[in-house]
């Protein structure tokens, strides 16, 4: 007798891109600067923020997570973490841009 292979197909493959597409179209239709400007600011520094967020989950988490979870409300913890990562990204971005401009001038 042959064996059957059970395949599992997660609908998240479809839901994720559709959700992003829908949100992008909503933001384009609304054209509200109060929503767009903060999202653009975070988007401009998102890679640095992504690198910095690991401070809360890797080997330094014993020290950083108590600071992050101090507020105890999940929404406030999210906003506080975003704020910390954003401010750190802004501070790191200043010398980083100077270094990259110096490298471009040398080439």
């Amino acid at each position: 007798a042959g064996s059957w292979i059970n395949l599992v197909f997660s609908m998240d493959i479809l839901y994720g891109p559709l959700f992003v597409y829908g949100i992008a179209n909503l933001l384009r239709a609304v054209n509200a600067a109060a929503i767009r400007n903060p999202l653009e600011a975070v988007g401009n520094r998102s890679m640095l923020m992504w690198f910095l967020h690991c401070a809360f989950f890797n080997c330094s988490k014993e020290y950083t997570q108590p600071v992050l979870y101090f507020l105890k409300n999940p929404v406030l913890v999210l906003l506080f973490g975003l704020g910390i990562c954003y401010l750190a990204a802004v501070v790191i971005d200043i010398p980083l841009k100077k270094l990259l401009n110096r490298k471009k001038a040398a080439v």
Side-chain angles (χ1 to χ4, degrees), residues 32-51:
I35 296 171
R36 179 172 277 169
N37 291 343
L39 286 177
E40 284 181 9
V42 168
N44 288 336
R45 294 195 169 77
S46 62
M47 187 176 73
L48 278 174
M49 291 173 64
W50 180 71
F51 283 127

Side-chain angles (χ1 to χ4, degrees), residues 19-88:
F19 178 76
V20 171
Y21 178 76
I23 293 293
N25 282 330
L26 279 174
L27 288 175
R28 210 174 287 133
V30 171
N31 200 13
I35 296 171
R36 179 172 277 169
N37 291 343
L39 286 177
E40 284 181 9
V42 168
N44 288 336
R45 294 195 169 77
S46 62
M47 187 176 73
L48 278 174
M49 291 173 64
W50 180 71
F51 283 127
L52 292 168
H53 94 282
C54 70
F56 298 107
F57 301 104
N58 284 337
C59 57
S60 61
K61 69 180 178 184
E62 296 87 22
Y63 308 107
T64 58
Q65 279 188 358
V67 173
L68 181 65
Y69 292 117
F70 172 74
L71 298 172
K72 296 188 180 19
N73 181 325
V75 174
L76 294 177
V77 169
L78 172 69
L79 293 175
F80 187 53
L82 280 170
I84 290 171
C85 289
Y86 181 78
L87 290 176

Side-chain angles (χ1 to χ4, degrees), residues 1 4 18 31 33 42 49 56 85 91 93-94 99 103-104:
W4 292 92
L18 286 174
N31 200 13
V42 168
M49 291 173 64
F56 298 107
C85 289
V91 170
D93 198 31
I94 295 168
L99 285 171
K103 179 185 172 194
K104 286 179 187 176

